Every structure is written in C-alpha cells, then in structure tokens.
Amino acid sequence: MPTKLAAGNWKMNGIAANLAEAEALATALPAPGCEVLICPPATLIDRLSTVLAGSPIATGGQDCHAAAKGAHTGDTSAVMLKDAGATYVILGHSERRTDHDETDADVAAKSEAAWAEDLIAVICVGETEAERDAGDALSVVATQLAGSIPEAATAANTVIAYEPVWAIGTGRVPTTEQIAEVHNDMRRILSDRFGAEGAEMSLLYGGSVKAGNAAEIFGVTNVDGALVGGASLKAADFQPIVEALAAS
Ligand code: PGA
C-alpha cells in the first residue's frame, strides 16, 4: 500500500510566531496515523525542524536548486535543506513553474539533487483551466510526469502531487470523478514505467483541500493523501484533514 501523507505547503507565509501552529498540531496529534509534513518558507526550516524534533511531523522545503552549491544568489540547495532539518522537498509546484519558468527538465534535475541528499521529492503536476477545457488534462499530466520524474524514482524517494492549477487557492475543487480519472491514469503511467515502485508511490491531490471536503477526496481511488496550502497554516484547520486521511 502507498504511504498516506498529509503535506502542508505554507508557501510564502510564516514568521517565527507561526511556529506555534506546528507545535499545536504536534501536540494534538502525538500519533497521527499517517505521515504528516509541513513545508514552511526556507527561513523557518531550521527552527521548525527543531520545534518538531521528536514529533511524528516531518519538515520539508518548497524548492531546491539543482546544484549543491555555487554562485546562485537567492537559491537554496538540497544540501542546505537537509542541513536545516528537512527530509522532504516540494518540486515543480505550479507557482514555481509559473513564477520562475521551471520546466519539466528543471524539476527532474532538482529531483536528482534532492535524492542525492536523501530528501523525498514531492513532484507536482497539474493542468491549467484552459488545458482542461481543451480536453488536455490527462495528456498534460502525462507529459509532466514523463519529463519531471527521473529514471531512478522509487516509492521511497518520490511522492507525486496532482494539483490542477485552477483549483489552487480558488476554493474550486474538481469532482471526485475528475480526481479519480487523473489519479487512475497517473497510477497506470507510473506502474507501466516503474513497475512495483510506481504501484506503491504515494499520489497526493492538492487544490483547495479543506476539512469539509477532505474525507470525500480521500475516498477517491488512488488518492493517498493531500498537498494542502491555505488550510495547513492553522493547526485547527490542518488537524481535521490529517485525521480524515488517517481514517480513510
Ligand atoms: P491550496 O494550495 O490548498 O491553498 O489550494 C495547495 C497548493 O498549492 O499546494
């Protein structure tokens, strides 16, 4: 069975005062019943991983550079994320693909860099609204999977997050049929390419996941968890999502 993972993506939100939310979550969920991950901004990774030490909640980055070090002003390497206490890194989020022109090849190179430091890569894919309207959702996701996941991917080093761009931060969620269609197709593609490893890889859904819709989404075939943005910022919002996953 793929590992169940509830992953929080704080995006560019959070200063020291917000560490209390992660602490509250860890206190409320001493044995969550699934993997739980919080990816804060880079400035908080070190402090968050310290706060969460000894708890079941892991810390992750939101991006890494493909190189281990060098003249790349403003960037953070996988070496640095690991040094700060991260065990996961989100890669190829649609906001990175849009804001920083990240290509599938960039995401693949970053994944290799993450694996070199034993970080688990959470590789994001997902279609825009125009692509879905054109009937291209499955082909767009298939192309992103083909180009963004390097050959050495395993169920242990890679998590895939399907995040339709039009559902991120909008409150609009695909129907369970639409989620199932994409997740089933991703499972088929990953199993064809990676065999048993692809069959075991965790497939997260992301985009406007909330306490109110989490249980329904986790009931969808081949959904093994969620990548949660806005609803991961407060312990009171994230806790019921984690509990819904554990109960699914
Ligand atoms: P959202 O973001 O839950 O706020 O829609 C999800 C994401 O972008 O990872």
Side-chain angles (χ1 to χ4, degrees), residues 7-11 90 93-95 124 161 163-165 167-172 205-210 226-233 241:
N9 173 12
W10 283 10
K11 309 192 179 185
I90 297 169
H93 189 282
S94 65
E95 287 152 15
C124 303
E163 298 204 305
V165 177
I168 296 175
T170 60
R172 295 172 57 205
Y205 166 77
S208 298
V209 176
K210 306 267 183 283
L227 182 54
V228 183
S232 72
L233 294 170
I241 295 172

PDB file of all heavy atoms in Angstrom, residues 7-11 90 93-95 124 161 163-165 167-172 205-210 226-233 241, ligand 1:
ATOM      1  N   ALA A   7       0.461  16.631   3.571  1.00  0.00           N
ATOM      2  CA  ALA A   7       1.570  17.577   3.452  1.00  0.00           C
ATOM      3  C   ALA A   7       1.038  19.001   3.443  1.00  0.00           C
ATOM      4  O   ALA A   7       0.122  19.320   2.679  1.00  0.00           O
ATOM      5  CB  ALA A   7       2.350  17.300   2.165  1.00  0.00           C
ATOM      6  N   GLY A   8       1.610  19.845   4.275  1.00  0.00           N
ATOM      7  CA  GLY A   8       1.240  21.252   4.321  1.00  0.00           C
ATOM      8  C   GLY A   8       2.274  22.086   3.594  1.00  0.00           C
ATOM      9  O   GLY A   8       3.472  21.915   3.802  1.00  0.00           O
ATOM     10  N   ASN A   9       1.790  22.973   2.737  1.00  0.00           N
ATOM     11  CA  ASN A   9       2.667  23.870   1.989  1.00  0.00           C
ATOM     12  C   ASN A   9       2.339  25.294   2.432  1.00  0.00           C
ATOM     13  O   ASN A   9       1.309  25.841   2.044  1.00  0.00           O
ATOM     14  CB  ASN A   9       2.408  23.682   0.485  1.00  0.00           C
ATOM     15  CG  ASN A   9       3.140  24.694  -0.371  1.00  0.00           C
ATOM     16  OD1 ASN A   9       4.016  25.409   0.108  1.00  0.00           O
ATOM     17  ND2 ASN A   9       2.780  24.748  -1.644  1.00  0.00           N
ATOM     18  N   TRP A  10       3.209  25.848   3.257  1.00  0.00           N
ATOM     19  CA  TRP A  10       2.936  27.194   3.788  1.00  0.00           C
ATOM     20  C   TRP A  10       3.202  28.293   2.762  1.00  0.00           C
ATOM     21  O   TRP A  10       2.871  29.449   3.002  1.00  0.00           O
ATOM     22  CB  TRP A  10       3.780  27.440   5.061  1.00  0.00           C
ATOM     23  CG  TRP A  10       3.246  26.759   6.294  1.00  0.00           C
ATOM     24  CD1 TRP A  10       2.237  25.830   6.357  1.00  0.00           C
ATOM     25  CD2 TRP A  10       3.681  26.967   7.648  1.00  0.00           C
ATOM     26  NE1 TRP A  10       2.026  25.442   7.659  1.00  0.00           N
ATOM     27  CE2 TRP A  10       2.901  26.122   8.477  1.00  0.00           C
ATOM     28  CE3 TRP A  10       4.653  27.767   8.246  1.00  0.00           C
ATOM     29  CZ2 TRP A  10       3.069  26.069   9.861  1.00  0.00           C
ATOM     30  CZ3 TRP A  10       4.828  27.719   9.625  1.00  0.00           C
ATOM     31  CH2 TRP A  10       4.026  26.880  10.426  1.00  0.00           C
ATOM     32  N   LYS A  11       3.828  27.935   1.644  1.00  0.00           N
ATOM     33  CA  LYS A  11       4.151  28.931   0.611  1.00  0.00           C
ATOM     34  C   LYS A  11       4.922  30.100   1.253  1.00  0.00           C
ATOM     35  O   LYS A  11       5.705  29.873   2.161  1.00  0.00           O
ATOM     36  CB  LYS A  11       2.883  29.383  -0.126  1.00  0.00           C
ATOM     37  CG  LYS A  11       2.067  28.183  -0.620  1.00  0.00           C
ATOM     38  CD  LYS A  11       0.973  28.545  -1.572  1.00  0.00           C
ATOM     39  CE  LYS A  11       0.257  27.264  -2.017  1.00  0.00           C
ATOM     40  NZ  LYS A  11      -0.761  27.507  -3.042  1.00  0.00           N
ATOM     41  N   ILE A  90       9.272  19.912  -1.814  1.00  0.00           N
ATOM     42  CA  ILE A  90       8.293  20.063  -2.892  1.00  0.00           C
ATOM     43  C   ILE A  90       9.044  20.565  -4.130  1.00  0.00           C
ATOM     44  O   ILE A  90       9.836  21.509  -4.033  1.00  0.00           O
ATOM     45  CB  ILE A  90       7.205  21.092  -2.503  1.00  0.00           C
ATOM     46  CG1 ILE A  90       6.414  20.624  -1.279  1.00  0.00           C
ATOM     47  CG2 ILE A  90       6.270  21.362  -3.679  1.00  0.00           C
ATOM     48  CD1 ILE A  90       5.506  21.713  -0.676  1.00  0.00           C
ATOM     49  N   HIS A  93       6.165  22.852  -8.132  1.00  0.00           N
ATOM     50  CA  HIS A  93       4.840  23.409  -7.828  1.00  0.00           C
ATOM     51  C   HIS A  93       4.452  24.361  -8.960  1.00  0.00           C
ATOM     52  O   HIS A  93       5.308  25.040  -9.521  1.00  0.00           O
ATOM     53  CB  HIS A  93       4.871  24.139  -6.483  1.00  0.00           C
ATOM     54  CG  HIS A  93       3.518  24.538  -6.003  1.00  0.00           C
ATOM     55  ND1 HIS A  93       2.850  25.630  -6.515  1.00  0.00           N
ATOM     56  CD2 HIS A  93       2.683  23.976  -5.096  1.00  0.00           C
ATOM     57  CE1 HIS A  93       1.666  25.723  -5.924  1.00  0.00           C
ATOM     58  NE2 HIS A  93       1.538  24.733  -5.060  1.00  0.00           N
ATOM     59  N   SER A  94       3.173  24.452  -9.258  1.00  0.00           N
ATOM     60  CA  SER A  94       2.754  25.285 -10.398  1.00  0.00           C
ATOM     61  C   SER A  94       3.151  26.741 -10.207  1.00  0.00           C
ATOM     62  O   SER A  94       3.409  27.450 -11.183  1.00  0.00           O
ATOM     63  CB  SER A  94       1.247  25.170 -10.632  1.00  0.00           C
ATOM     64  OG  SER A  94       0.536  25.693  -9.534  1.00  0.00           O
ATOM     65  N   GLU A  95       3.243  27.184  -8.937  1.00  0.00           N
ATOM     66  CA  GLU A  95       3.661  28.573  -8.713  1.00  0.00           C
ATOM     67  C   GLU A  95       5.142  28.753  -9.066  1.00  0.00           C
ATOM     68  O   GLU A  95       5.556  29.817  -9.518  1.00  0.00           O
ATOM     69  CB  GLU A  95       3.362  28.974  -7.256  1.00  0.00           C
ATOM     70  CG  GLU A  95       1.856  29.158  -7.054  1.00  0.00           C
ATOM     71  CD  GLU A  95       1.350  28.890  -5.661  1.00  0.00           C
ATOM     72  OE1 GLU A  95       2.148  28.828  -4.712  1.00  0.00           O
ATOM     73  OE2 GLU A  95       0.112  28.725  -5.513  1.00  0.00           O
ATOM     74  N   CYS A 124       5.260  17.945  -8.306  1.00  0.00           N
ATOM     75  CA  CYS A 124       3.902  18.435  -8.578  1.00  0.00           C
ATOM     76  C   CYS A 124       3.633  18.517 -10.082  1.00  0.00           C
ATOM     77  O   CYS A 124       4.494  18.949 -10.859  1.00  0.00           O
ATOM     78  CB  CYS A 124       3.725  19.819  -7.976  1.00  0.00           C
ATOM     79  SG  CYS A 124       4.038  19.887  -6.208  1.00  0.00           S
ATOM     80  N   ALA A 161       2.266  14.809  -6.568  1.00  0.00           N
ATOM     81  CA  ALA A 161       1.102  15.613  -6.185  1.00  0.00           C
ATOM     82  C   ALA A 161       0.413  16.118  -7.446  1.00  0.00           C
ATOM     83  O   ALA A 161       1.020  16.836  -8.245  1.00  0.00           O
ATOM     84  CB  ALA A 161       1.517  16.785  -5.305  1.00  0.00           C
ATOM     85  N   GLU A 163      -2.041  18.619  -8.789  1.00  0.00           N
ATOM     86  CA  GLU A 163      -2.654  19.881  -8.381  1.00  0.00           C
ATOM     87  C   GLU A 163      -3.146  20.632  -9.610  1.00  0.00           C
ATOM     88  O   GLU A 163      -2.362  21.330 -10.271  1.00  0.00           O
ATOM     89  CB  GLU A 163      -1.637  20.745  -7.636  1.00  0.00           C
ATOM     90  CG  GLU A 163      -1.116  20.119  -6.360  1.00  0.00           C
ATOM     91  CD  GLU A 163      -0.617  21.173  -5.398  1.00  0.00           C
ATOM     92  OE1 GLU A 163       0.242  21.988  -5.793  1.00  0.00           O
ATOM     93  OE2 GLU A 163      -1.102  21.212  -4.261  1.00  0.00           O
ATOM     94  N   PRO A 164      -4.441  20.495  -9.933  1.00  0.00           N
ATOM     95  CA  PRO A 164      -4.954  21.297 -11.040  1.00  0.00           C
ATOM     96  C   PRO A 164      -4.771  22.778 -10.718  1.00  0.00           C
ATOM     97  O   PRO A 164      -5.184  23.228  -9.635  1.00  0.00           O
ATOM     98  CB  PRO A 164      -6.438  20.916 -11.122  1.00  0.00           C
ATOM     99  CG  PRO A 164      -6.730  20.011  -9.979  1.00  0.00           C
ATOM    100  CD  PRO A 164      -5.475  19.722  -9.239  1.00  0.00           C
ATOM    101  N   VAL A 165      -4.145  23.522 -11.612  1.00  0.00           N
ATOM    102  CA  VAL A 165      -3.774  24.910 -11.321  1.00  0.00           C
ATOM    103  C   VAL A 165      -5.010  25.731 -10.955  1.00  0.00           C
ATOM    104  O   VAL A 165      -4.969  26.574 -10.054  1.00  0.00           O
ATOM    105  CB  VAL A 165      -3.040  25.522 -12.545  1.00  0.00           C
ATOM    106  CG1 VAL A 165      -2.719  26.989 -12.300  1.00  0.00           C
ATOM    107  CG2 VAL A 165      -1.768  24.731 -12.846  1.00  0.00           C
ATOM    108  N   ALA A 167      -7.539  24.902  -9.352  1.00  0.00           N
ATOM    109  CA  ALA A 167      -8.114  24.563  -8.038  1.00  0.00           C
ATOM    110  C   ALA A 167      -7.267  25.098  -6.888  1.00  0.00           C
ATOM    111  O   ALA A 167      -7.688  25.043  -5.731  1.00  0.00           O
ATOM    112  CB  ALA A 167      -8.246  23.042  -7.907  1.00  0.00           C
ATOM    113  N   ILE A 168      -6.080  25.621  -7.200  1.00  0.00           N
ATOM    114  CA  ILE A 168      -5.168  26.060  -6.147  1.00  0.00           C
ATOM    115  C   ILE A 168      -5.585  27.434  -5.632  1.00  0.00           C
ATOM    116  O   ILE A 168      -5.615  28.408  -6.390  1.00  0.00           O
ATOM    117  CB  ILE A 168      -3.706  26.092  -6.649  1.00  0.00           C
ATOM    118  CG1 ILE A 168      -3.252  24.678  -7.001  1.00  0.00           C
ATOM    119  CG2 ILE A 168      -2.797  26.732  -5.619  1.00  0.00           C
ATOM    120  CD1 ILE A 168      -1.869  24.610  -7.623  1.00  0.00           C
ATOM    121  N   GLY A 169      -5.931  27.479  -4.352  1.00  0.00           N
ATOM    122  CA  GLY A 169      -6.252  28.746  -3.706  1.00  0.00           C
ATOM    123  C   GLY A 169      -7.537  29.392  -4.187  1.00  0.00           C
ATOM    124  O   GLY A 169      -7.800  30.560  -3.905  1.00  0.00           O
ATOM    125  N   THR A 170      -8.351  28.655  -4.916  1.00  0.00           N
ATOM    126  CA  THR A 170      -9.556  29.232  -5.510  1.00  0.00           C
ATOM    127  C   THR A 170     -10.839  28.796  -4.820  1.00  0.00           C
ATOM    128  O   THR A 170     -11.899  29.384  -5.061  1.00  0.00           O
ATOM    129  CB  THR A 170      -9.680  28.809  -6.991  1.00  0.00           C
ATOM    130  OG1 THR A 170      -9.749  27.375  -7.035  1.00  0.00           O
ATOM    131  CG2 THR A 170      -8.496  29.299  -7.805  1.00  0.00           C
ATOM    132  N   GLY A 171     -10.759  27.730  -4.020  1.00  0.00           N
ATOM    133  CA  GLY A 171     -11.975  27.177  -3.437  1.00  0.00           C
ATOM    134  C   GLY A 171     -12.732  26.286  -4.415  1.00  0.00           C
ATOM    135  O   GLY A 171     -13.770  25.723  -4.083  1.00  0.00           O
ATOM    136  N   ARG A 172     -12.219  26.165  -5.627  1.00  0.00           N
ATOM    137  CA  ARG A 172     -12.847  25.288  -6.632  1.00  0.00           C
ATOM    138  C   ARG A 172     -12.134  23.942  -6.620  1.00  0.00           C
ATOM    139  O   ARG A 172     -10.916  23.878  -6.729  1.00  0.00           O
ATOM    140  CB  ARG A 172     -12.733  25.913  -8.018  1.00  0.00           C
ATOM    141  CG  ARG A 172     -13.509  27.199  -8.163  1.00  0.00           C
ATOM    142  CD  ARG A 172     -13.200  27.857  -9.490  1.00  0.00           C
ATOM    143  NE  ARG A 172     -13.483  26.964 -10.612  1.00  0.00           N
ATOM    144  CZ  ARG A 172     -12.890  27.061 -11.799  1.00  0.00           C
ATOM    145  NH1 ARG A 172     -11.978  27.997 -12.016  1.00  0.00           N
ATOM    146  NH2 ARG A 172     -13.219  26.237 -12.759  1.00  0.00           N
ATOM    147  N   TYR A 205      -3.498  14.516  -3.822  1.00  0.00           N
ATOM    148  CA  TYR A 205      -4.291  15.517  -4.519  1.00  0.00           C
ATOM    149  C   TYR A 205      -4.052  16.859  -3.821  1.00  0.00           C
ATOM    150  O   TYR A 205      -3.984  16.915  -2.576  1.00  0.00           O
ATOM    151  CB  TYR A 205      -5.802  15.190  -4.487  1.00  0.00           C
ATOM    152  CG  TYR A 205      -6.575  16.401  -4.915  1.00  0.00           C
ATOM    153  CD1 TYR A 205      -6.653  16.731  -6.263  1.00  0.00           C
ATOM    154  CD2 TYR A 205      -7.096  17.293  -3.975  1.00  0.00           C
ATOM    155  CE1 TYR A 205      -7.260  17.912  -6.659  1.00  0.00           C
ATOM    156  CE2 TYR A 205      -7.714  18.468  -4.368  1.00  0.00           C
ATOM    157  CZ  TYR A 205      -7.780  18.773  -5.712  1.00  0.00           C
ATOM    158  OH  TYR A 205      -8.359  19.962  -6.103  1.00  0.00           O
ATOM    159  N   GLY A 206      -3.956  17.935  -4.586  1.00  0.00           N
ATOM    160  CA  GLY A 206      -3.816  19.267  -3.998  1.00  0.00           C
ATOM    161  C   GLY A 206      -4.652  20.287  -4.745  1.00  0.00           C
ATOM    162  O   GLY A 206      -4.821  20.200  -5.970  1.00  0.00           O
ATOM    163  N   GLY A 207      -5.187  21.258  -4.000  1.00  0.00           N
ATOM    164  CA  GLY A 207      -6.001  22.322  -4.587  1.00  0.00           C
ATOM    165  C   GLY A 207      -7.273  22.488  -3.794  1.00  0.00           C
ATOM    166  O   GLY A 207      -8.216  21.711  -3.942  1.00  0.00           O
ATOM    167  N   SER A 208      -7.266  23.492  -2.888  1.00  0.00           N
ATOM    168  CA  SER A 208      -8.453  23.835  -2.090  1.00  0.00           C
ATOM    169  C   SER A 208      -8.957  22.684  -1.220  1.00  0.00           C
ATOM    170  O   SER A 208     -10.162  22.558  -0.990  1.00  0.00           O
ATOM    171  CB  SER A 208      -9.580  24.366  -2.992  1.00  0.00           C
ATOM    172  OG  SER A 208      -9.173  25.562  -3.639  1.00  0.00           O
ATOM    173  N   VAL A 209      -8.030  21.843  -0.731  1.00  0.00           N
ATOM    174  CA  VAL A 209      -8.421  20.820   0.244  1.00  0.00           C
ATOM    175  C   VAL A 209      -8.696  21.511   1.574  1.00  0.00           C
ATOM    176  O   VAL A 209      -7.926  22.357   2.029  1.00  0.00           O
ATOM    177  CB  VAL A 209      -7.310  19.754   0.424  1.00  0.00           C
ATOM    178  CG1 VAL A 209      -7.715  18.757   1.515  1.00  0.00           C
ATOM    179  CG2 VAL A 209      -7.042  19.033  -0.891  1.00  0.00           C
ATOM    180  N   LYS A 210      -9.836  21.162   2.158  1.00  0.00           N
ATOM    181  CA  LYS A 210     -10.270  21.751   3.437  1.00  0.00           C
ATOM    182  C   LYS A 210     -10.822  20.631   4.308  1.00  0.00           C
ATOM    183  O   LYS A 210     -11.076  19.530   3.828  1.00  0.00           O
ATOM    184  CB  LYS A 210     -11.404  22.762   3.199  1.00  0.00           C
ATOM    185  CG  LYS A 210     -11.111  23.857   2.184  1.00  0.00           C
ATOM    186  CD  LYS A 210     -10.561  25.089   2.862  1.00  0.00           C
ATOM    187  CE  LYS A 210     -10.307  26.244   1.912  1.00  0.00           C
ATOM    188  NZ  LYS A 210      -9.116  26.152   1.085  1.00  0.00           N
ATOM    189  N   ALA A 226      -2.854  14.380   0.633  1.00  0.00           N
ATOM    190  CA  ALA A 226      -3.121  15.711   0.087  1.00  0.00           C
ATOM    191  C   ALA A 226      -1.920  16.630   0.277  1.00  0.00           C
ATOM    192  O   ALA A 226      -1.151  16.484   1.231  1.00  0.00           O
ATOM    193  CB  ALA A 226      -4.340  16.327   0.774  1.00  0.00           C
ATOM    194  N   LEU A 227      -1.793  17.560  -0.660  1.00  0.00           N
ATOM    195  CA  LEU A 227      -0.882  18.688  -0.508  1.00  0.00           C
ATOM    196  C   LEU A 227      -1.779  19.903  -0.259  1.00  0.00           C
ATOM    197  O   LEU A 227      -2.586  20.267  -1.113  1.00  0.00           O
ATOM    198  CB  LEU A 227      -0.026  18.868  -1.762  1.00  0.00           C
ATOM    199  CG  LEU A 227       1.020  19.983  -1.739  1.00  0.00           C
ATOM    200  CD1 LEU A 227       1.946  19.879  -0.535  1.00  0.00           C
ATOM    201  CD2 LEU A 227       1.855  19.962  -3.026  1.00  0.00           C
ATOM    202  N   VAL A 228      -1.632  20.461   0.918  1.00  0.00           N
ATOM    203  CA  VAL A 228      -2.591  21.459   1.411  1.00  0.00           C
ATOM    204  C   VAL A 228      -1.896  22.802   1.584  1.00  0.00           C
ATOM    205  O   VAL A 228      -0.878  22.887   2.280  1.00  0.00           O
ATOM    206  CB  VAL A 228      -3.177  21.007   2.770  1.00  0.00           C
ATOM    207  CG1 VAL A 228      -4.232  21.993   3.250  1.00  0.00           C
ATOM    208  CG2 VAL A 228      -3.747  19.591   2.679  1.00  0.00           C
ATOM    209  N   GLY A 229      -2.441  23.833   0.972  1.00  0.00           N
ATOM    210  CA  GLY A 229      -1.873  25.167   1.108  1.00  0.00           C
ATOM    211  C   GLY A 229      -2.515  25.919   2.255  1.00  0.00           C
ATOM    212  O   GLY A 229      -2.167  25.754   3.427  1.00  0.00           O
ATOM    213  N   GLY A 230      -3.508  26.728   1.925  1.00  0.00           N
ATOM    214  CA  GLY A 230      -4.129  27.626   2.899  1.00  0.00           C
ATOM    215  C   GLY A 230      -4.574  26.942   4.183  1.00  0.00           C
ATOM    216  O   GLY A 230      -4.384  27.482   5.287  1.00  0.00           O
ATOM    217  N   ALA A 231      -5.150  25.752   4.058  1.00  0.00           N
ATOM    218  CA  ALA A 231      -5.685  25.064   5.238  1.00  0.00           C
ATOM    219  C   ALA A 231      -4.605  24.350   6.053  1.00  0.00           C
ATOM    220  O   ALA A 231      -4.935  23.637   7.004  1.00  0.00           O
ATOM    221  CB  ALA A 231      -6.773  24.073   4.823  1.00  0.00           C
ATOM    222  N   SER A 232      -3.341  24.548   5.693  1.00  0.00           N
ATOM    223  CA  SER A 232      -2.270  23.958   6.520  1.00  0.00           C
ATOM    224  C   SER A 232      -1.648  24.983   7.463  1.00  0.00           C
ATOM    225  O   SER A 232      -0.810  24.650   8.292  1.00  0.00           O
ATOM    226  CB  SER A 232      -1.167  23.353   5.635  1.00  0.00           C
ATOM    227  OG  SER A 232      -0.402  24.366   5.002  1.00  0.00           O
ATOM    228  N   LEU A 233      -2.082  26.245   7.340  1.00  0.00           N
ATOM    229  CA  LEU A 233      -1.415  27.303   8.101  1.00  0.00           C
ATOM    230  C   LEU A 233      -1.820  27.314   9.576  1.00  0.00           C
ATOM    231  O   LEU A 233      -1.052  27.742  10.428  1.00  0.00           O
ATOM    232  CB  LEU A 233      -1.735  28.667   7.483  1.00  0.00           C
ATOM    233  CG  LEU A 233      -1.166  28.893   6.075  1.00  0.00           C
ATOM    234  CD1 LEU A 233      -1.744  30.171   5.460  1.00  0.00           C
ATOM    235  CD2 LEU A 233       0.356  28.969   6.120  1.00  0.00           C
ATOM    236  N   ILE A 241      -7.959  17.544   8.644  1.00  0.00           N
ATOM    237  CA  ILE A 241      -7.568  16.963   7.349  1.00  0.00           C
ATOM    238  C   ILE A 241      -6.675  15.747   7.595  1.00  0.00           C
ATOM    239  O   ILE A 241      -6.855  14.685   6.984  1.00  0.00           O
ATOM    240  CB  ILE A 241      -6.861  18.036   6.482  1.00  0.00           C
ATOM    241  CG1 ILE A 241      -7.842  19.154   6.130  1.00  0.00           C
ATOM    242  CG2 ILE A 241      -6.267  17.392   5.226  1.00  0.00           C
ATOM    243  CD1 ILE A 241      -7.204  20.345   5.441  1.00  0.00           C
TER     244      ILE A 241
HETATM  245  P1  PGA B   1      -4.415  25.469  -1.554  1.00  0.00           P
HETATM  246  O1  PGA B   1      -2.950  25.244  -2.161  1.00  0.00           O
HETATM  247  O2  PGA B   1      -4.688  24.298  -0.632  1.00  0.00           O
HETATM  248  O3  PGA B   1      -4.337  26.769  -0.819  1.00  0.00           O
HETATM  249  O4  PGA B   1      -5.356  25.489  -2.706  1.00  0.00           O
HETATM  250  C1  PGA B   1      -2.497  23.955  -2.488  1.00  0.00           C
HETATM  251  C2  PGA B   1      -1.098  24.038  -3.040  1.00  0.00           C
HETATM  252  O5  PGA B   1      -0.809  24.920  -3.853  1.00  0.00           O
HETATM  253  O6  PGA B   1      -0.233  23.227  -2.683  1.00  0.00           O
END
